[in-house]
Amino acid sequence: MAEAASAPSPSRAVTGDSEFDRDTAVVRREPGVYGIDLSAGWTILGAVNGGYLLAVLGRALGDALPHPDPFTISAHYLTASRPGPAVIRTETVRTGRTLSTGQASLFQYDDEGNEVERIRVLASYGDLAGLPDDVRTTAKPPAIPPYEQCFGPADGPDPLKGVSAITDRLLLKLDPATVGWAIGQPSGKGEMRAWFGLADGRDADPLSLLLAVDALPPTAFEMGLKGWVPTVELTTHIRHRPAPGPLRVAITTRNLAGGFLEEDAEVWDSEDRLVAQSRQLARVRLA
């Protein structure tokens, strides 16, 4: 069992009544078409976080499709999203007894008033509660020190202070072995590990797992690189409905080439279950 007994217990928000739920809520305008006002609270360097966007589109597809839970969702980020009004258009591709598949795109208007597609996803949905309990795995939870031995924005220098609004929405405690970048001493390894939760104490669910896979600082920081690391493509697999309590997230990069890197993420719950996995391709700015 994970050592998280010392994690703080704020006044807990419940699912459906938290900032995350309010800021990912979509309004059905007509069948398959939804409106939303993207919140500035989930931005970094002025751009809307990719995991938050994935959760927004995931919520729209959860309303449009007959099955409740995302099993796999692949997103291509076409242009940077901004806080403000957006429209989501969904399409049901196929429905079956255990899985349904749909696609969705999010659109905004540019400064000239032209509609621009920001992100497009293809996803398969099912019912996590109906999956068998049989688990056969060689995967192991990441070795992260206890919560009180890890570091958050309030525990030392914060190079992202003032440019990362999303930080205030999260309870993020980074493994000390992966915070060298924050004091100008990156390890050179493409690794990032942290305890993860929402700041208002809301427990994780499948939709917030879509946020968790893209909410840590980029592994590029520990490789000695700086600046924005925009996501090009992100595929996430939801494996289990998470148990209450903090999550552990581990992200690794093995290959940076041609100005692009991959990030492989694993998310583990408080019962040591692998509840989500992802891989993304991201662009980096080389010196």
Side-chain angles (χ1 to χ4, degrees):
M1 185 69 68
E3 295 182 47
S6 299
S9 299
S11 177
R12 302 186 69 85
V14 297
T15 302
D17 186 29
S18 78
E19 186 174 30
F20 175 76
D21 297 305
R22 293 190 295 272
D23 288 348
T24 58
V26 296
V27 178
R28 188 191 301 176
R29 294 180 175 174
E30 58 184 85
V33 180
Y34 302 84
I36 187 171
D37 194 38
L38 297 177
S39 171
W42 304 87
T43 58
I44 180 168
L45 296 173
V48 180
N49 171 262
Y52 165 70
L53 289 172
L54 201 61
V56 166
L57 273 79
R59 189 175 293 280
L61 281 168
D63 182 82
L65 296 173
H67 291 93
D69 301 316
F71 276 23
T72 179
I73 180 166
S74 296
H76 285 263
Y77 295 81
L78 308 177
T79 54
S81 299
R82 307 172 180 175
V87 63
I88 301 165
R89 299 191 181 102
T90 68
E91 177 186 349
T92 299
V93 177
R94 180 186 180 277
T95 60
R97 186 175 61 85
T98 59
L99 287 175
S100 55
T101 300
Q103 60 183 15
S105 292
L106 183 144
F107 300 86
Q108 291 184 307
Y109 287 101
D110 64 17
D111 294 336
E112 286 72 43
N114 302 307
E115 188 176 71
V116 178
E117 186 175 7
R118 302 297 194 193
I119 175 175
R120 183 181 299 189
V121 306
L122 181 67
S124 290
Y125 274 56
D127 185 355
L128 289 168
L131 295 180
D133 292 331
D134 187 11
V135 177
R136 309 178 195 194
T137 182
T138 60
K140 296 181 180 179
I144 301 179
Y147 191 93
E148 66 274 9
Q149 296 178 20
C150 294
F151 296 98
D155 298 319
D158 182 6
L160 301 179
K161 187 175 180 61
V163 298
S164 180
I166 190 174
T167 303
D168 295 331
R169 322 263 89 74
L170 306 176
L171 279 177
L172 202 61
K173 287 284 193 174
L174 295 170
D175 183 337
T178 67
V179 298
W181 61 275
I183 56 173
Q185 299 177 11
S187 67
K189 300 177 181 179
E191 299 176 350
M192 200 68 63
R193 292 181 296 274
W195 294 96
F196 174 89
L198 294 170
D200 60 12
R202 175 199 189 273
D203 281 321
D205 68 352
L207 276 180
S208 65
L209 293 177
L210 299 177
L211 167 68
V213 298
D214 193 43
L216 272 60
T219 55
F221 288 3
E222 270 298 272
M223 301 172 80
L225 300 172
K226 299 179 181 180
W228 189 31
V229 185
T231 302
V232 176
E233 186 271 347
L234 171 60
T235 294
T236 303
H237 300 158
I238 305 302
R239 310 304 303 273
H240 204 289
R241 186 174 292 275
L247 302 171
R248 284 158 292 165
V249 183
I251 307 178
T252 58
T253 293
R254 295 193 304 163
N255 190 55
L256 187 160
F260 292 84
L261 56 76
E262 90 287 345
E263 286 192 341
D264 290 311
E266 293 184 351
V267 184
W268 295 77
D269 73 1
S270 59
E271 295 184 359
D272 286 344
R273 295 178 302 190
L274 180 62
V275 292
Q277 299 167 277
S278 74
R279 165 166 281 197
Q280 72 169 279
L281 182 70
R283 190 170 72 246
V284 295
R285 293 186 177 131
L286 301 175

